[in-house]
Amino acid sequence: MSRFRSVKKSLRDLLGGDDWQDRLAELDEYAPGELVPPLLNLRLDRSEAVRWRSVTAFGLTAGRLAEASMERARVLMRTLMWYMNEESGNLGWSIPNFMAEAMVHSERIAKEFHKILASYIFCDEECDGNFLDHPELRRDVYWGLARLAESRPELVAPSERFLLIGLDDPDAYNRAYAARVLGLLKAAAARDRLQALKDDPAEIRTYLHRELVDTTVGEMAREALAALE
């Protein structure tokens, strides 16, 4: 336990600093498996910046783990899936973000687990299966799909019809993230609904390109429309 606390403190110091991106190479000083528990803990940190930066650090860590042992990476991803299971008793906050960032940094992880990530927004008939009926938990899934679409859009494209539904979500974050994904996918079918959102004033605060950003649903819809041109 003392080792866990020591590693967590070192990680928090790293991720909480203004020079955190310059220091990410320090993660290589630890075995990937040693970083996973404290990073999962830091996703619930009191600092918003640390919470989001732990996602970045986790992706790098998962990529290293997959390179060393794909079987251990599979165990890791299944652990994240367990966190999303109500029976686990865990909080699923940020877990889809972690899943997506792992997929960004490992093609093999992405190919094996992208359908699981997308399944959390699937809603056919009575929304059986993995669909998350909690809108705030769905935020992380939409964010994760947007993050994955930045580097592997072909794996997200099959979810287009569910992302279109997301444009009508009552939750502003879900509308904004769905718009971003559809823009990244250059989904022409979304054009009219994105037009309807381009003046949506609802404000959100999110994490893009390793920076915390304040924006609106309308701004993200306009960016998505621009990507369609």
Side-chain angles (χ1 to χ4, degrees):
M1 183 60 71
S2 60
R3 179 60 178 169
F4 169 86
R5 287 195 295 267
S6 173
V7 175
K8 179 185 172 183
K9 181 181 184 305
S10 296
L11 284 173
R12 195 181 190 285
D13 289 344
L14 188 160
L15 297 176
D18 292 338
D19 60 346
W20 72 280
Q21 293 198 65
D22 296 330
R23 296 181 59 195
L24 285 173
E26 294 178 24
L27 297 175
D28 295 343
E29 299 172 7
Y30 300 87
E34 191 173 34
L35 293 175
V36 169
L39 285 173
L40 284 170
N41 188 276
L42 287 172
R43 84 188 199 282
L44 303 175
D45 193 81
R46 64 183 181 276
S47 165
E48 182 181 22
V50 169
R51 293 196 300 269
W52 277 114
R53 292 168 185 176
S54 71
V55 175
T56 297
F58 183 87
L60 294 167
T61 300
R64 287 174 56 211
L65 187 65
E67 188 174 340
S69 170
M70 189 57 201
E71 187 51 44
R72 290 183 65 196
R74 291 187 183 103
V75 171
L76 173 60
M77 295 301 288
R78 290 172 189 141
T79 299
L80 297 182
M81 290 163 57
W82 174 245
Y83 269 81
M84 295 298 293
N85 187 330
E86 290 182 1
E87 295 178 2
S88 73
N90 289 299
L91 294 172
W93 305 118
S94 297
I95 293 299
N97 302 339
F98 276 46
M99 294 175 72
E101 197 71 19
M103 295 179 206
V104 167
H105 289 278
S106 170
E107 182 178 13
R108 293 184 68 185
I109 290 177
K111 287 183 175 180
E112 290 192 24
F113 291 94
H114 69 280
K115 291 182 180 178
I116 297 295
L117 178 63
S119 73
Y120 296 121
I121 63 164
F122 283 2
C123 189
D124 280 337
E125 298 177 355
E126 297 181 359
C127 298
D128 291 337
N130 290 336
F131 178 76
L132 297 173
D133 57 8
H134 194 304
E136 292 189 17
L137 282 176
R138 286 203 303 278
R139 292 177 183 179
D140 294 339
V141 182
Y142 282 110
W143 184 94
L145 291 172
R147 181 72 181 99
L148 183 57
E150 291 176 11
S151 59
R152 309 186 196 281
E154 73 283 358
L155 298 182
V156 182
S159 303
E160 180 177 322
R161 66 191 179 103
F162 297 101
L163 293 163
L164 288 168
I165 295 171
L167 295 176
D168 298 321
D169 198 295
D171 185 89
Y173 282 81
N174 292 336
R175 296 196 303 277
Y177 292 151
R180 177 167 173 75
V181 187
L182 290 162
L184 290 166
L185 297 179
K186 301 188 184 303
R191 188 183 305 275
D192 289 346
R193 291 161 91 169
L194 289 171
Q195 284 284 355
L197 287 179
K198 65 186 180 68
D199 295 319
D200 188 325
E203 298 178 348
I204 70 166
R205 181 171 174 82
T206 188
Y207 184 70
L208 297 176
H209 311 302
R210 298 186 177 179
E211 297 286 348
L212 284 167
V213 176
D214 292 306
T215 186
T216 66
V217 175
E219 177 61 26
M220 295 192 82
R222 291 192 294 272
E223 290 177 1
L225 283 166
L228 299 185
E229 300 302 329

